[in-house]
Amino acid sequence: MSKIAILISGRGSNMTALLNAIKTKNLDCHVVCVIANKKSQGLEFAAKRNIPTRLIERNKFDSKETHEIKLIDVLLSYQPDWILLAGYMAILSPKIIEVFGGKIINIHPSLLPKFKGLDTHRRAMEAKENKHGTTIHIVTNELDGGPIIAQSEINVLPSDTSETLRHRVLEEEHILYPLVLEALTKKYLEIKSFKVIWHQAPPMFELENKAIEVSVKPFLKIKNIV
Ligand code: GAR
């Protein structure tokens, strides 16, 4: 059974989607801890579900370095197979990436390599993009630049604002992250030494009523086509 650690900073809706999927899809994995770098709604929610939670507040440490040393120590004590960043709003340093190399996965609200960093929805609107979406990738030393595991793409609608776009992308994230976790636990997807190898797409019952195109090479790509 895979041991999963989830790192959050806020609301934790992606974490909740992962927890729900583990339960409803009976995934062969166990969330060993949820860690937040600030007081957050998501951490309270995880605690209510009896998941071990740790608050390692960045502002209680003198430096990013000392904060991360603590984070690494706590993570090592849980021996996770995978560390899933779910709205963890801090840039990880090379040290933590070296310790857990290739096991840290992030979800980012854009079609990477487009719009790395913050405020992706507003920037996509300003750039008059007609496609936007979300990406799940392995964390490397390059900000939002690691190998892509999966992407979900939506059309930007003429009526969209940054807020409606954020909302619609978040809905995609709540489907995509659980699918990636399912694929990992069922070995449809392997991640070895920072390499992403898809063997097959996971079953996508959630998307049965949607018009989508799916491909798995070089990564899982779900295109919403209407
Ligand atoms: C999500 O949209 C996630 O993609 C984004 O923060 C949101 C967290 O929402 N992450 C990043 O921007 C990381 N660079 P949540 O707390 O409700 O899951």
Side-chain angles (χ1 to χ4, degrees):
M1 181 178 283
S2 310
K3 293 195 247 169
I4 311 289
I6 303 178
L7 268 56
I8 61 170
S9 296
R11 166 183 62 184
S13 69
N14 277 289
M15 172 204 74
T16 304
L18 289 166
L19 297 179
N20 289 344
I22 291 169
K23 203 167 166 190
T24 57
K25 296 183 179 191
N26 202 15
L27 299 184
D28 190 24
C29 62
H30 172 56
V31 178
V32 288
C33 64
V34 172
I35 301 175
N37 59 353
K38 51 172 137 156
K39 290 199 177 96
S40 61
Q41 217 182 314
L43 204 65
E44 287 173 25
F45 181 83
K48 281 193 194 130
R49 292 237 184 147
N50 296 320
I51 293 164
T53 54
R54 297 292 292 263
L55 176 61
I56 308 175
E57 280 177 288
R58 170 64 186 87
N59 60 13
K60 297 274 160 66
F61 291 79
D62 294 345
S63 64
K64 180 178 169 62
E65 199 190 349
T66 52
H67 176 257
E68 254 192 18
I69 289 171
K70 178 71 181 170
L71 178 61
I72 292 171
D73 271 0
V74 171
L75 279 168
L76 282 174
S77 73
Y78 288 102
Q79 291 290 306
D81 296 297
W82 301 105
I83 298 168
L84 304 184
L85 309 186
Y88 187 69
M89 304 309 276
I91 296 172
L92 297 182
S93 71
K95 172 83 185 151
I96 188 164
I97 291 163
E98 189 189 317
V99 175
F100 298 104
K103 291 181 176 179
I104 310 178
I105 293 173
N106 182 41
I107 187 158
H108 179 79
S110 77
L111 296 174
L112 290 172
K114 285 188 173 175
F115 307 113
K116 297 176 177 183
L118 298 173
D119 220 357
T120 57
H121 311 295
R122 184 187 54 76
R123 287 158 58 213
M125 289 295 292
E126 282 175 6
K128 303 206 182 322
E129 293 290 323
N130 53 20
K131 311 275 182 205
H132 189 46
T134 184
T135 305
I136 294 172
H137 66 95
I138 305 175
V139 175
T140 61
N141 289 331
E142 191 194 334
L143 176 69
D144 299 326
I148 294 178
I149 300 168
Q151 264 186 353
S152 186
E153 177 185 287
I154 58 173
N155 291 321
V156 178
L157 305 174
S159 58
D160 266 323
T161 62
S162 314
E163 269 319 298
T164 60
L165 202 51
R166 179 191 310 280
H167 180 75
R168 295 199 303 116
V169 168
L170 195 62
E171 282 178 351
E172 297 303 311
E173 295 190 325
H174 295 165
I175 295 170
L176 194 68
Y177 221 172
L179 281 175
V180 165
L181 182 59
E182 178 175 11
L184 260 181
T185 60
K186 295 187 174 164
K187 309 267 188 291
Y188 300 153
L189 160 69
E190 282 183 275
I191 297 176
K192 282 184 190 161
S193 319
F194 293 94
K195 275 214 180 68
V196 173
I197 308 150
W198 276 96
H199 300 296
Q200 66 179 89
M204 298 188 190
F205 303 118
E206 304 82 345
L207 297 171
E208 250 168 17
N209 298 322
K210 279 190 160 190
I212 54 166
E213 275 172 9
V214 177
S215 51
V216 284
K217 298 288 175 205
F219 52 78
L220 176 68
K221 175 120 189 180
I222 300 170
K223 280 188 188 179
N224 288 272
I225 50 181
V226 282

